[in-house]
Amino acid sequence: MSAPAVGGVVTLGETMALLWPPEVGPLRHAPALRLGVAGAESNVAVGVVRLGVPAAWVGRVGDDEFGRMVTMTLRGQGVHTTAVVDAEARTGLMVKERRTARVTRVLYYRAGSAGSRLSPADLDPAVIGAAGVLHVTGITPALSPDARAAVFAAVEEAVGRGVPVSVDLNYRSALWSPADAGPVLRDLVRRADVVMATEDEARLVVDGADARTLIGALGALGAADVLLKQGAEGSVSAVDGALYRVPARPVAVVDSVGAGDAFGAGYLSGLCRGLPADERLALATSAGAFAVTVPGDWEGLPTLADLALLDEGDTVLR
């Protein structure tokens, strides 16, 4: 497909097939599993498009039905999709288990997957150069040396072309240890203009006892925009030295998976649209809150019009 319009978000990473049961309880007792797609970077791309900003995703999929589903789904959501078809590897698989109503466990089957074989050769410099922002996460570098090289190659291309770089640390303990992740994530943060993290993720890279000191330490590495996601406490950001706080939106949580991706989509869409720093953070916080009110990693990502529903009580709109 063609590249996104100038000013959009470009991202890269692995998108997998997703299996999950509709019921709460041990996976072994589930009578059926639902089928969909999931991936942090593609979730962000879908979220950005829903909020009115173009987005592109680059990745690898297997020459299989799961891979074709990934490509079909993302393109169907309006994401400009470059999916390299890898005939030598399968599309990765993610399985979610709702062990209790409040606890979801995630299992990965992605070792040696097509997505883990992403490489610098899969990148199109023209697509990166046309972006309003390049968004990467700490997930992709954990998949393989080639995938790590692809992330850093994309970042260096963006930096060389004057394209802002966004990094969501997005640490996954199932993929690598804190000791392995820390130096790599720190290198990414040093190259970033926008950094997103939870407090625990931030401590993989810098020292700090509280949000203010963590934000200051991350910003000292070079990013102009530093955001901390604090869950039920809301979010806080530092932009060019000014501090902003937004409280969490009170919502009934149905599925918390994908909330951070929705937050990132909200912030980056606001950045691409030129919104002030406080409005970007408010949009990100509202998008993250909306996403947890429905099941699925990306299916419930909001449009700008949808966000107004957060102010409605129990009602029927006719």
Side-chain angles (χ1 to χ4, degrees), residues 54-227:
W57 172 84
V58 179
R60 276 184 173 247
V61 297
D63 186 12
D64 49 38
E65 283 299 299
F66 286 159
R68 286 182 274 277
M69 179 182 63
V70 166
T71 303
M72 177 187 72
T73 300
L74 296 184
R75 288 177 176 165
Q77 293 302 313
V79 176
H80 293 264
T81 302
T82 301
V84 177
V85 178
D86 191 331
E88 298 180 1
R90 301 288 189 184
T91 302
L93 178 64
M94 172 180 170
V95 181
K96 289 198 300 187
E97 178 190 43
R98 297 181 62 203
R99 190 60 185 86
T100 74
R102 300 183 63 183
V103 176
T104 297
R105 293 194 291 214
V106 176
L107 306 172
Y108 293 123
Y109 300 87
R110 62 200 305 181
S113 66
S116 72
R117 289 155 59 95
L118 185 72
S119 75
D122 298 327
L123 306 176
D124 185 342
V127 171
I128 296 173
V133 60
L134 172 73
H135 178 69
V136 299
T137 78
I139 297 173
T140 309
L143 299 179
S144 71
D146 281 347
R148 186 177 307 171
V151 169
F152 279 92
V155 168
E156 294 301 333
E157 186 68 36
V159 171
R161 290 174 175 260
V163 174
V165 174
S166 165
V167 175
D168 188 335
L169 297 190
N170 231 334
Y171 174 68
R172 295 290 186 269
S173 61
L175 298 178
W176 53 354
S177 69
D180 289 335
V184 177
L185 297 179
R186 188 178 180 89
D187 283 348
L188 279 179
V189 170
R190 287 186 182 279
R191 293 164 169 80
D193 300 280
V194 178
V195 175
M196 307 178 193
T198 65
E199 290 190 22
D200 286 342
E201 289 170 342
R203 291 189 179 96
L204 294 171
V205 176
V206 295
D207 295 324
D210 55 29
R212 184 182 290 270
T213 55
L214 287 168
I215 282 181
L218 288 171
L221 295 178
D225 294 27
V226 179
L227 299 89

Side-chain angles (χ1 to χ4, degrees), residues 20 34 96 98 254-255 257 291-300:
W20 79 100
R34 294 176 177 174
K96 289 198 300 187
R98 297 181 62 203
V254 174
D255 185 352
V257 177
V292 306
T293 64
V294 295
D297 284 34
W298 58 267
E299 289 85 349

